[in-house]
Structures are given as C-alpha cells and as structure tokens.
C-alpha cells in the first residue's frame, strides 16, 4: 500500500516537472522552433526532390534560379539536401545525447556511491577530459573507418566525462541526505537505494545536460564532416554539404551559408531550450551559472 | 604552500598516464589490423609488414607500452611513417602559427568578454544584459567554420578589407602583414570564447555585487567604476580564470578548424594532413602534445588561485 502511494507521488512530480518547464518562455519558444525543425525533417521527403539526384545542366545555379537554395557543383538541389541533412543531424544529436547520458549515468552512479571506485573512475575521466574532443573524434574515426555508428561513438566518448562528473556530484550530495541514511538504516540494499532515491535526483540535471550534449554533438558532427573526417561523404549531412561547398566558396557561397544557417538555428533552438530548462528545473545550477 | 604545489604537480602524473594509455590503446584495440588500416587500401603485404615493424606491433602489448612510455618520458613522440621525421620535430616546425593564433584569440576574447560580462552583470536584467546573453547563446550555436566563411565573405570578398587566407610570420615577414592575416582567424575563433567568458564573468560578478563589502565600498562613496574594478572584478577573478582554462580544450578544437578554413600552416593542418595520409604516429603525438599542454595550463591556473585571491590558502 505504501509502495503504491510513493509511486503516485513520484508520477505527480514527473508531470509537474514538464508543466514547470513549459511555463518558461525560453523552453516554450525554443521548443516550438525545435518542433518545427523536427516536423520539417520528418516530412522532408514530401516536398523535396532526391538529394542525390545529379543534374549536370543546372550546376552552381544561384538561389531562386533553381530551387530555393540553388544547386551545387553537380547540379544537386541544395534545398533538398539541407532538408534531408536535418534528419541526419538531429538523429546524430539525439543518439549521442541518449548514449552518453546512459553510459555517464551508470558510471557516475558507481563513482559517486562506491568510494573505492571513485578515485579510479575520476582519474580516467580527468584523462579523457584533457584530450581535445575534436582530435579524439578524428583519431577514432580515422582508425575505425567512417560510418554513422563510429561517428556517433567518436562523439560520445569525449562527452561522457562531463555527464559522469555531473551525476557523481549529485550522488555525493544525495547520499548525505537523511532519507538515504534512513533507507540504509532499515536495511535497504544498495541498488534499490540507487534506483529509488538517488536516480530521481539526477533526472532534472540530466535532462538539462542532454540538451547541451545534443547541441554540441550536432556541431561536432558538422565540424567532422567539414574537415572530411565525418560520416561517408555521399550522405548529405550538413557538415558534408558544407565540406563540398568549400571548393566553390567564392563563386557559390550559398552552398555553405544555407546548411550553416540551418545548423546554427537548430543548435540555437536546442541551447535556448537547455537554458530555459536549467533555469526552471535546476535552481541549484541556475544560481551558479546565471 | 610548497607542499600543496608539489602535491598538485604530482597529481597531474596519473592523468597524463591515463591519457598516454588511452592514446596507446586506441590503435591497438581498434577493430581489424591497425597496420593494414594505416597502410591503406593499395598497400602491398611488404608495406603492411614494414609499418607493423615500425610501430612495434608484433611485440607483446605490455612490452610495447613500457617501451613506448619510456620513449615518451624522454620527449620522443614517435616517428612519422611517411616523412620519416620525428613527430616532435614536425610539431616544432608547425607550432608558431598555432601558438600565436591561440594567444591572439585568448587576449582578444578576454579584452572583449570581461568588460562585456561585467557590464551585463552591473545592468542585470536590462537590455544590455539581454543582448550580451543572446550573443552568448548565439556564440555557442554557430559552427566556427561557418562564422569564418561569413567573415571572409563580408570583410574580405565584399569589402576587401583583409586578406582571405594564409599566414605571415611576425618574425620573418613583419608585424603588419602578420596582423592583417591573423585578424580574421582571431575574430572567428574568439566568438565562442567570448561567449563562454562573458557568461562566466556575468555570473560571478553578479554574485560578488551582492556581497557586503561591495555595499560598504559604495557607502564610503567610492566611484562605481572603482567598485566594479577593485572590488567586484577582483573577487570574481577565480571562476573567470578557471573557465578560461577549461576553454583551452575548446580552443584547441577550434584552432584545427580555423586553420583549415584560413589555410594556416599550423598544428591543426598537420593533424588533418596526417589523417588523410593515415600517418598515425603524428596523430598520436599531437593528441598527446595538446593534452599535456591542456593539463599543464590548468595546473598553472590552479596554482595561480592563491596569487589572485589571497584568501585561498593551502
């Protein structure tokens, strides 16, 4: 009976988290922008032509003359490529956010709760953190070959230490709370304590962190693609489109500007949502970061 | 104090070992035969064998690591597979533009961001504050290279104010050409850094302005400028310096991209050329080099805390 009561109490607080969040202006407008971008990305197939379709007669045409965004050096429609790129960028952003949060959450819980693991895990994380993310990703990709999966893994690895640190700091505070002490004193085992008492406290900061990871992952993907070290060049991700636009930049700057603007707006929307969530969900961080 | 300094220096050793171990294992644990991956698709069996020998891949892994670590401690970062030159020598050849670009970026960013962040904190909630914060969120959202191309397009191609690409050394080609060529890359790279520092400056100055000693200074009749400079900013210095240190990692990544956009022959270009040529010892050496620079700079920053803020004692 007590079990059920606790359950519904938790559910209620879940609902109110989202209510509080949506009341925040940044979350609302950033979220709206993001929803529009996601809808465009999902429905893109209905109002674009094949992004790979080569049309040699209309090469390097300026915007308006051929399609909304012009064409590239192979006569491919830049508008269709940018719309399709949204799907790839968002997929990578979300995949990286989910994977790094899951791995970071588990590692952080272990580091924060088991004293003897703490020193080892944190030294490894310190080491990982001091390797510049882009270099690490470039090296991993150049060794294991560029596929969608390796790119996601290469972006995830440098993101993990920050998640681990965040989770660990929450665990260290929570484990001193009276309700955790009470749970220990009545003989609750470690993992139930983690899941029931510690884990819920990490959710709000992790949601905030996930948005930042998602934004920075999309930027990293674009940078890797731009440097020619990202996902295979035939996939029209924003980074790859811009990478191909470099050669003709002086002639046809739109090949870089349109995907660049699309990327900037998407990341901006994600970051605005992140800032709003931080202010409304996590007053502790908000005070420090303000 | 001396005890703390020694302890703090010793603490960097395990971190450096972790970095070295990670870089070492990256090649050995990658799927497939690393020698074959490095040799490329058109390599003969002899090529693969030669690279395997050169990287010492045929020996047991523990022997490999101890040997490699021993060389590393002596400053030997390995030998490039293709040019057959020591990686340390290649780094020395290319370090000047990278270091100068990093330096101009940090200087410019601090000069812009600290006053901007202080102003935003002083006028918290006003339109100035909102503009600075909007710029700060925006700065985190625009990819470095897109910004570089926008600046090239506007300032170089259309207004013809600055050269499009390239690098001129201040030591051999004069300070004027150097400044003309470094301005655009510096502006490009600074935006994200300014965003980062301005945000942190604003946050910590806001906190300090609520302190009692600020109210005391004001009630003594000290001018607002002096209150901000002497009391607020000085006490807000530690978090600002810390965020600059953390930002070094961001800066290193940005340098690679910026050098590629502006065709600057620095370490970033060395990395990219090495990736294209699959010259793994260079990639490995550069990752180690950059990580150690990051660790050492952050060590220096940690040690500078007690100079900046006499209240911090160890």
């Amino acid at each position: 009976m007590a079990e059920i009561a606790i359950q519904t109490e938790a559910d209620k607080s879940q609902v109110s988290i989202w209510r509080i969040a949506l009341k925040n202006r940044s979350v609302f407008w950033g979220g709206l922008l993001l929803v529009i971008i996601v809808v465009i990305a999902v429905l893109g197939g209905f109002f674009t032509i094949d992004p790979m379709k080569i049309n040699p007669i209309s090469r390097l045409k300026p915007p308006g003359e051929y399609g909304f965004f012009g064409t590239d050096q192979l006569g491919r429609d830049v508008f269709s490529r940018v719309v399709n790129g949204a799907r790839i960028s968002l997929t990578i952003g979300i995949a990286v956010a989910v994977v790094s949060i899951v791995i970071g959450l588990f590692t952080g819980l272990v580091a924060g709760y088991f004293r003897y693991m703490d020193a080892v895990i944190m030294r490894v994380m310190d080491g990982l953190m001091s390797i510049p993310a882009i270099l690490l990703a470039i090296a991993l990709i150049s060794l294991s070959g560029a596929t969608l999966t390796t790119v996601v893994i290469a972006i995830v690895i440098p993101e993990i230490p920050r998640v681990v640190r965040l989770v660990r700091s929450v665990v260290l505070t929570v484990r001193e709370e009276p309700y955790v002490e009470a749970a220990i004193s009545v003989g609750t085992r470690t993992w139930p304590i983690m899941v029931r008492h510690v884990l819920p406290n990490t959710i709000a900061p992790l949601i905030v962190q996930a948005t930042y990871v998602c934004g920075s992952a999309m930027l990293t993907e674009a940078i890797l693609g731009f440097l020619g070290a990202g996902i295979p060049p035939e996939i029209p991700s924003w980074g790859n489109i811009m990478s191909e636009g470099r050669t003709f930049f002086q002639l046809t700057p739109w090949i870089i500007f349109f995907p660049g603007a699309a990327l900037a707006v998407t990341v901006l929307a994600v970051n605005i949502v992140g800032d709003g969530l931080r202010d409304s969900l996590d007053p502790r961080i908000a005070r420090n970061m303000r | 104090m001396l005890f703390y300094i020694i302890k703090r220096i010793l603490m960097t050793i395990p971190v450096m070992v972790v970095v070295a171990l990670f870089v070492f294992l990256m090649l050995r644990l990658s799927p497939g035969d690393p020698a074959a991956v490095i040799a490329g698709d058109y390599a003969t069996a002899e090529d693969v064998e030669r690279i395997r020998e050169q990287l010492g891949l045929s020996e047991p892994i523990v022997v490999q690591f101890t040997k490699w670590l021993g060389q590393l401690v002596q400053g030997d970062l390995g030998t490039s597979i293709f040019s057959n030159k020591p990686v340390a020598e290649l780094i020395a050849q290319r370090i000047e533009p990278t270091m100068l670009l990093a330096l101009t970026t940090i200087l410019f960013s601090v000069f812009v961001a600290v006053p901007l962040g202080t102003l935003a904190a002083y006028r918290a909630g006003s339109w100035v504050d909102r503009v600075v914060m909007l710029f700060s969120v925006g700065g985190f959202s625009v990819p470095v290279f897109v910004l570089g191309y926008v600046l090239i397009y506007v300032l170089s191609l259309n207004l013809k104010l600055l050269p499009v690409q390239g690098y001129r050394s201040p030591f051999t080609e004069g300070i004027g050409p150097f400044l003309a060529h470094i301005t655009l890359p510096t502006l490009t790279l600074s935006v994200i850094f300014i965003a980062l520092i301005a945000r942190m400056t604003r946050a910590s100055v806001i906190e300090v302005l609520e302190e009692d000693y600020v109210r005391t200074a004001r009630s003594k009749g000290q001018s607002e400028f002096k209150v901000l400079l002497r009391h607020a900013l000085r006490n807000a210095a530690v978090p600002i310096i810390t965020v600059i240190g953390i930002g070094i990692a961001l800066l290193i990544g940005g340098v690679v991209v910026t050098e590629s956009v502006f065709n600057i022959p620095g370490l970033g270009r060395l990395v990219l050329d090495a990736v294209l040529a699959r010259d793994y010892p260079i990639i490995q050496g550069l990752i180690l080099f950059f990580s150690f620079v990051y660790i050492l700079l952050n060590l220096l920053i940690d040690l500078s805390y007690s100079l900046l803020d006499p209240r911090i004692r160890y």
Side-chain angles (χ1 to χ4, degrees), chain A residues 25 123-136 138-140 142-145 157 212 219 222-223 226-229 239 242 246 249-250 253 256-257 259-261 263-265 267-269 271-272 275 278 287-290, chain B residues 11 14-15 18-19 22-23 26-27 30-31 37-38 133 137-138 140-146 149-150 152-153 157 164 199-200 202-203 206-207 210 249 252-254 256-257 260-261 271-272 275 278 280 283 286-287 290-291 294-295:
Chain A
R25 264 196 310 182
R123 286 302 83 68
V124 173
M125 292 303 141
D126 284 349
L128 215 51
M129 235 179 152
S130 56
I131 304 175
I134 292 191
L135 286 188
L136 183 57
I138 290 175
L140 288 172
S142 72
L143 271 178
S144 48
I157 290 176
Y212 291 135
L219 284 180
I223 287 172
F226 175 77
L227 294 175
M242 289 187 270
R246 295 180 74 171
F249 172 70
Q250 302 216 0
I256 289 186
F257 288 162
L263 176 62
V265 169
V267 177
L268 187 68
N271 282 344
I272 290 175
D275 277 4
R278 187 194 63 212
R287 214 178 304 124
N288 293 336
M289 289 286 295
R290 210 164 29 173
Chain B
M11 265 168 65
V15 180
V18 167
V19 172
F22 191 83
V23 170
M26 209 152 62
L27 178 64
S30 63
V37 171
I38 290 167
M133 287 313 279
V137 183
F140 281 118
S141 310
V142 184
V144 177
F145 58 92
V146 173
Y149 278 114
V150 171
I152 290 179
Y153 188 71
L157 296 179
V164 177
R199 211 183 167 99
M200 190 44 101
R202 177 180 176 276
I206 282 185
E207 208 154 292
E210 284 163 10
I252 292 169
V256 177
V257 185
S260 166
V261 171
V271 176
L272 292 179
V275 167
R278 305 188 197 212
Y280 197 73
I283 305 177
L286 276 169
I287 291 182
F290 278 130
S291 307
Y294 175 80
I295 294 170

Side-chain angles (χ1 to χ4, degrees), chain B residues 69-144:
Chain B
L69 206 60
Q71 289 172 346
L72 202 61
V73 173
Q74 294 168 29
D76 181 1
L77 289 172
T79 311
S80 155
I81 291 177
F82 289 93
S83 68
N84 237 334
K85 282 183 187 160
V87 174
E89 192 186 310
L90 291 171
I91 291 179
Q93 280 172 4
R94 300 280 199 105
I95 199 169
E96 182 201 304
T98 304
M99 236 167 61
L100 290 178
L101 176 60
L103 206 67
T104 51
T105 302
I106 293 179
L107 287 178
F108 180 72
S109 308
V110 171
F111 268 106
V112 174
V114 172
L116 219 57
T118 314
L119 190 68
Y122 184 61
R123 294 254 173 266
S126 73
W127 66 268
V128 183
D129 183 26
R130 247 173 260 150
V131 169
V132 171
M133 287 313 279
L134 199 70
F135 174 81
S136 163
V137 183
F140 281 118
S141 310
V142 184
V144 177

Side-chain angles (χ1 to χ4, degrees), chain A residues 9 28 60-61 126 235 252 256 276 288:
Chain A
E9 202 56 41
F28 181 78
L60 303 173
K61 287 276 190 290
D126 284 349
I235 301 175
T252 59
I256 289 186
N288 293 336

Side-chain angles (χ1 to χ4, degrees), chain B residues 36-87:
Chain B
V37 171
I38 290 167
D41 301 333
Y42 304 108
T44 60
E46 285 82 43
D47 289 340
V48 176
E49 203 48 49
R50 185 177 55 84
I51 288 170
R52 199 193 313 280
E53 277 310 310
Q54 205 172 341
L55 294 173
L57 289 172
S58 41
E59 287 172 275
I61 200 154
V62 183
V63 178
Q64 282 182 45
F65 184 64
T66 37
K67 248 190 190 171
W68 184 71
L69 206 60
Q71 289 172 346
L72 202 61
V73 173
Q74 294 168 29
D76 181 1
L77 289 172
T79 311
S80 155
I81 291 177
F82 289 93
S83 68
N84 237 334
K85 282 183 187 160
V87 174

